[in-house]
Amino acid sequence: MAKQEQERFDIFDETMKPIGTATRKEVHAKGLWHQTFHCWIVTRTGEETRILFQMRHPDKDTYPNLLDISCAGHLMAGERVEDGVRELEEELGVAASFERLKSCGVYREERIIAADKIDREWYHVFMLASDQPLASYRLQEDEVTGLYSIPLSCVGDLARGRSDFEIRAAGVEPDESGKLQAVERTFRKRDFVPHEPGYFELVLREAQRL
C-alpha cells in the first residue's frame, strides 16, 4: 500500500484548472481535486437493460467490500483521459479501444470519507455496450472480488435515495483457484459505494440512451 500512496496525480482547482501534482496520500489527506476514469458496462437481456457493478477488494483504502462502477481508476500525472481505457483490461480483462466508449461527460463530486480523508474528484464518465458473458471476464485479483449484473432500475433507486430497496443479482466470483463461479447475491443500499443522486441520474440517463 505504501508504494500506491506515492503514486502521483495531476491536481486541479475547483474550476478544473491544473495547479501541479501530488501523491495519492497527499491528494486524499488534503482533499485536492484530481481526475478519475469511470466506465460503466451496459448489457441488454431481451427488453431489459442491465449494468455491471464490481465488488471492491477488502484491502482497498476507500470503500472496501462495496459495489462500485464496472471499472474505474485514477489518472496518473501526465496521463490523458484516453489513457484511462487501460483500466478495462487491467481490472476486467476487456481489450476495448477508446473509440468504442460513449462519453457521458465530466461529473464533479466531493466526498468526506473520514476526518483525515477527503475525496474530491473530476469523474470522466464513459459507457461500453457489451454482451460478453460474465464468466468470460478476467478479474484483477487485488482489485475486484466479484462482478454482478444488476437491472438499470436499481440505479434509479440509488438516484432517488431509496433506503428500502433490495435486489437479487446474478454474478461471478473467483473460487480458491481463481476460476470464476456463478453466484446469486442479495444487495441493499448499504452495499453500494455512496455517490450523489446527480451522479446516478447521469448514469441512468446515459444508459437509457445507449
Side-chain angles (χ1 to χ4, degrees), residues 8-131:
R8 295 198 73 83
F9 303 152
D10 291 321
I11 56 174
F12 303 81
D13 66 14
E14 293 186 354
T15 67
M16 210 175 176
K17 178 182 177 181
I19 57 174
T21 67
T23 65
R24 175 192 288 262
K25 184 176 182 178
E26 291 171 329
V27 159
H28 290 142
K30 298 177 181 178
L32 303 173
W33 288 98
H34 56 291
Q35 298 182 106
T36 52
F37 171 89
H38 291 191
C39 186
W40 291 91
I41 297 179
V42 180
T43 68
R44 290 280 291 178
T45 304
E47 294 300 312
E48 185 178 49
T49 300
R50 303 179 73 87
I51 196 162
L52 301 190
F53 281 79
Q54 66 160 262
M55 179 72 75
R56 293 171 64 82
H57 194 277
D59 291 339
K60 297 289 287 184
D61 61 342
T62 58
Y63 304 113
N65 292 318
L66 292 185
L67 294 172
D68 203 5
I69 302 138
S70 314
C71 171
H74 289 88
L75 294 179
M76 301 299 172
E79 284 193 318
R80 303 169 304 160
V81 176
E82 293 86 343
D83 295 321
V85 74
R86 61 176 160 73
E87 296 288 345
L88 281 165
E89 186 153 18
E90 290 176 3
E91 293 190 357
L92 303 178
V94 175
S97 66
F98 184 74
E99 288 70 29
R100 281 187 60 195
L101 308 186
K102 177 185 182 294
S103 175
C104 304
V106 180
Y107 190 89
R108 175 183 182 271
E109 185 169 85
E110 176 180 5
R111 298 180 292 180
I112 299 176
I113 301 171
D116 60 347
K117 189 169 289 186
I118 302 171
D119 202 15
R120 293 189 172 106
E121 297 185 3
W122 293 99
Y123 303 152
H124 296 271
V125 187
F126 297 88
M127 289 193 175
L128 174 66
S130 174
D131 58 0

